């Protein structure tokens, strides 16, 4: 209740008091006993006067009580407002104290990242992790500090030059332009001989790798570009959508690592252990993955254009929809791999092992599959136009509906293969082995069959053979005769 309202009540009480006094005087005057009144009338008059007086006193008491009640309510409201202001001030002071504490802990930890002792630097890294956990508003600041620490201290050339593991840090001292890149070592060089990553850098990577990606700021990414993370241990680390262009992960442990959507353009992953790693829609443009272990890894939708996958192990890996244009997959192990819908145009698959691989509707135009092993592979609807399959093992593979126009299958072993509705237009099957193959509705128009072995094939008819180009060296089933034009040409 406001002060104005209280004053108004007070004025009303004064007025009522005056009315009360006036009423008493009036009652006394009216209660006087004129001559001629009886005793009974006098008693009734006095009783009425007393009753009226009692009612007036009671009303006055109620009004006085109302006044004091209003005053008490006003006092309580005043105290409540004061308490509310004190509470707000307390919250503000607490927030200021918290902000001050956070700033002090951050600044102290950041300063210790440049300490000469590695133990102090490692301690500072874990302090920063605790700050990020306790104060989510500082989470991304901590992540950026740690990534900057790694970039500065694991730059190319610095890790190899660092002979002492406990050497002083150079955290955010200066950034180098035109950093020299180390040359790729031969595959036969043992990883044990390579310099091991510094312990404080490993600690920073561990903290970064186990971060909660849900707290990442929108539009922000981990920035570890052009860092030398050779032989780093990142088992199960979360590096999704990270910028890892030009990184050196040679011999690194990336088993179960989440690299989905990461940018690994030009990265070096030679000999890296990436078993069951997630590289969904990752960018591996022209990356080096020689002899890496990617068994059961998820590379679906990944960009591996021009990547070097020489001798890589991709057993049971998922490469569905991946872009492997002009990729080098020489001697790669792709047994049981899923390559459905993958683009392998002009890819080099010489000597690759693709036994029981899924190449459903795979694009292999111009791919080099010389000496590759495709035994039991599924090539249903695959496009192998102009592909090179010389001396390739394709036993019991399924080529249903595939296109092998102008493909070179000379000396290939297609024993027991399912070639139903395959288009062999102008393909070269010279000296190929097709024993037991299913050739129903296969298109042999202008196909070279010189020296090919077709004994024991299934569903081959004279109409198909008449369109092909063979000679007396072509071995046909007993139920088919050599076409006349073959004899004339020979």
């Amino acid at each position: 209740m406001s002060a104005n309202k209280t004053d108004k009540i007070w004025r009303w009480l004064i007025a009522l008091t005056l009315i009360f006094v006036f009423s008493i005087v009036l009652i006394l005057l009216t209660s006087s006993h004129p001559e001629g009144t009886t005793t009974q009338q006098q008693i009734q008059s006095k009783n009425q006067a007393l009753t009226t007086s009692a009612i007036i006193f009671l009303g006055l008491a109620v009004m006085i009580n109302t006044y004091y009640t209003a005053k008490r309510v006003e006092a309580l409201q005043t105290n409540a407002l004061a308490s509310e202001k004190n509470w707000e001030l307390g919250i503000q002071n607490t927030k200021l104290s918290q902000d001050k504490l956070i700033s002090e802990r951050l600044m102290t930890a950041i300063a210790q990242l440049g300490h000469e002792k590695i133990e102090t630097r490692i301690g500072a890294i874990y302090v920063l992790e605790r700050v990020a956990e306790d104060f989510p508003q500082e989470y991304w600041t901590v992540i950026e500090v740690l990534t900057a620490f790694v970039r500065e201290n694991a730059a190319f050339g610095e890790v190899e030059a660092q002979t002492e593991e406990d050497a002083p840090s150079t955290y955010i001292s200066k950034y180098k332009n035109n950093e020299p890149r180390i040359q790729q070592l031969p595959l036969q060089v043992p990883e044990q001989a390579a310099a091991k990553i510094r312990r404080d850098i490993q600690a920073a990577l561990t903290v970064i790798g186990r971060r909660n990606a849900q707290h990442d700021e929108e539009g922000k990414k981990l920035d570890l570009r052009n860092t030398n993370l050779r032989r780093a241990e990142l088992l199960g680390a979360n590096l999704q959508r990270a910028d890892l262009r030009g990184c050196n992960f040679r011999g690194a442990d990336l088993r179960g690592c989440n690299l989905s959507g990461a940018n690994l353009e030009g990265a070096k992953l030679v000999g890296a252990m990436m078993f069951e790693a997630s590289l969904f829609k990752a960018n591996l443009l022209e990356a080096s993955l020689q002899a890496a272990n990617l068994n059961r890894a998820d590379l679906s939708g990944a960009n591996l254009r021009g990547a070097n996958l020489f001798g890589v192990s991709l057993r049971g890996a998922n490469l569905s929809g991946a872009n492997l244009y002009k990729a080098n997959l020489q001697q790669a192990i792709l047994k049981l791999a899923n390559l459905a819908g993958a683009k392998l145009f002009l890819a080099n698959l010489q000597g690759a092992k693709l036994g029981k691989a899924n190449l459903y509707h795979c694009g292999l135009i111009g791919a080099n599959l010389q000496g590759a092993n495709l035994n039991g592979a599924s090539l249903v609807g695959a496009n192998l136009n102009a592909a090179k399959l010389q001396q390739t093992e394709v036993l019991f593979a399924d080529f249903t509906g595939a296109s092998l126009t102008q493909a070179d299958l000379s000396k290939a072993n297609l024993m027991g293969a399912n070639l139903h509705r395959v288009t062999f237009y102008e393909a070269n099957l010279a000296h190929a082995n097709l024993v037991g193959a299913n050739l129903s509705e296969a298109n042999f128009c202008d196909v070279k069959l010189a020296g090919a072995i077709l004994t024991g094939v299934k569903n081959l008819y004279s109409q198909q053979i008449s369109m092909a180009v063979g000679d007396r060296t072509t071995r046909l089933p007993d139920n088919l005769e050599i076409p006349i034009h073959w004899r004339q040409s020979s």
Side-chain angles (χ1 to χ4, degrees), residues 319-325 329 334 337-347 349 354 357-367 369 374 377-385 387 398-404:
L319 289 145
S320 58
N323 184 355
L324 289 146
Y325 177 76
L329 286 151
L334 289 150
N338 182 11
L339 289 147
K343 299 176 182 66
L344 285 151
F345 307 134
L346 301 175
L349 289 147
L354 290 146
N358 181 11
L359 292 145
Y360 177 79
H361 282 278
C362 185
L364 287 152
I365 297 174
L369 289 147
L374 287 154
S378 174
L379 290 139
V380 177
N383 189 339
L384 290 139
N385 294 344
D398 189 357
F399 284 86
T400 302
S403 178
L404 287 151

Side-chain angles (χ1 to χ4, degrees), residues 99-412:
D99 291 343
K100 184 178 179 182
L101 176 64
I102 296 171
S103 298
E104 289 177 354
R105 289 178 67 180
L106 270 176
M107 295 307 296
T108 302
I110 291 171
Q112 289 177 340
L113 286 175
H115 200 276
E116 60 181 7
K117 291 187 177 179
I118 193 168
E119 293 80 7
T120 304
R121 300 200 296 271
I122 292 173
I125 289 166
Y126 290 118
V127 168
L128 286 170
E129 181 183 26
R130 186 60 183 270
V131 169
E133 291 174 353
D134 294 343
F135 308 105
Q137 68 272 22
E138 300 297 335
Y139 160 81
W140 192 251
T141 300
V142 170
I143 295 299
E144 287 189 328
V145 168
L146 292 175
T147 51
F149 174 81
V150 174
R151 286 198 307 272
E152 184 65 22
N153 290 278
F156 280 104
E158 292 190 9
V159 173
E160 289 80 5
Q162 196 66 266
T163 55
E164 293 293 332
E165 187 179 58
D166 297 356
S169 171
T170 56
Y171 174 67
I172 311 182
S173 59
K174 61 179 180 178
Y175 290 96
K176 293 178 170 57
N177 295 321
N178 302 320
E179 295 170 336
R181 290 174 176 261
I182 59 169
Q183 293 184 348
Q184 180 180 304
L185 296 174
L187 289 175
Q188 61 269 24
V189 175
E191 289 298 329
Q192 290 76 7
K196 192 174 182 180
I197 193 168
R198 235 169 53 192
R199 285 190 292 128
D200 54 343
I201 298 172
Q202 178 60 64
L205 290 171
T206 301
V207 171
I208 293 168
R210 64 188 178 204
R211 80 194 199 286
N212 186 354
Q214 293 180 349
H215 294 160
D216 288 356
E217 290 187 11
E218 189 176 354
K220 297 290 184 70
K221 297 179 181 179
L222 293 178
D223 187 359
L224 292 167
R225 287 173 294 170
N226 300 314
T227 49
N228 193 340
L229 306 179
R230 190 170 184 169
R231 296 184 66 193
E233 295 180 6
L234 289 160
L235 179 65
N238 185 359
L239 297 172
Q240 59 180 331
R241 299 187 302 276
D243 190 348
L244 301 165
R245 287 174 291 172
C247 283
N248 182 6
F249 283 104
R250 182 183 174 94
D253 187 351
L254 295 162
R255 286 175 294 170
C257 187
N258 186 358
L259 289 156
S260 57
N263 191 347
L264 288 147
E265 181 180 342
K268 294 177 175 62
L269 293 147
V270 180
M273 178 63 70
M274 302 178 75
F275 177 77
E276 290 188 343
S278 176
L279 290 145
F280 174 70
K281 290 189 176 180
N283 181 18
L284 290 146
L285 179 67
E286 296 182 351
S288 299
L289 295 116
Q290 300 98 304
N293 185 337
L294 283 152
N295 293 341
R296 294 171 61 180
D298 183 8
L299 287 145
S300 54
N303 181 13
L304 289 148
R305 185 185 177 103
N308 189 350
L309 295 145
F310 181 90
V312 71
S313 182
L314 286 155
R315 188 187 299 268
N318 184 4
L319 289 145
S320 58
N323 184 355
L324 289 146
Y325 177 76
K326 284 190 175 180
N328 182 11
L329 286 151
Q330 283 181 283
Q331 299 181 30
I333 300 172
L334 289 150
K335 291 181 180 180
L336 300 170
N338 182 11
L339 289 147
K343 299 176 182 66
L344 285 151
F345 307 134
L346 301 175
N348 187 352
L349 289 147
Q350 285 181 289
K353 295 176 175 61
L354 290 146
K356 295 184 179 180
N358 181 11
L359 292 145
Y360 177 79
H361 282 278
C362 185
L364 287 152
I365 297 174
N368 188 350
L369 289 147
Q370 285 182 280
N373 185 328
L374 287 154
N375 294 340
S378 174
L379 290 139
V380 177
N383 189 339
L384 290 139
N385 294 344
K388 299 174 182 177
L389 293 128
Q390 301 100 308
Q391 300 180 349
T392 302
E393 291 284 332
V394 204
L395 276 67
F396 303 101
D398 189 357
F399 284 86
T400 302
S403 178
L404 287 151
T405 300
Q406 296 182 346
D408 190 350
L409 291 132
S410 57
K411 297 183 179 179

Side-chain angles (χ1 to χ4, degrees), residues 418-448:
N418 184 4
L419 301 164
H420 174 62
R421 293 175 55 204
V422 171
T423 300
F424 284 109
Y425 180 70
E426 292 186 351
N428 183 6
L429 284 161
H431 302 284
N433 182 1
L434 290 108
V435 175
N438 178 20
L439 296 166
S440 63
E441 299 183 45
N443 184 347
F444 280 91
C445 184
D446 294 329
V447 174
K448 297 176 183 177

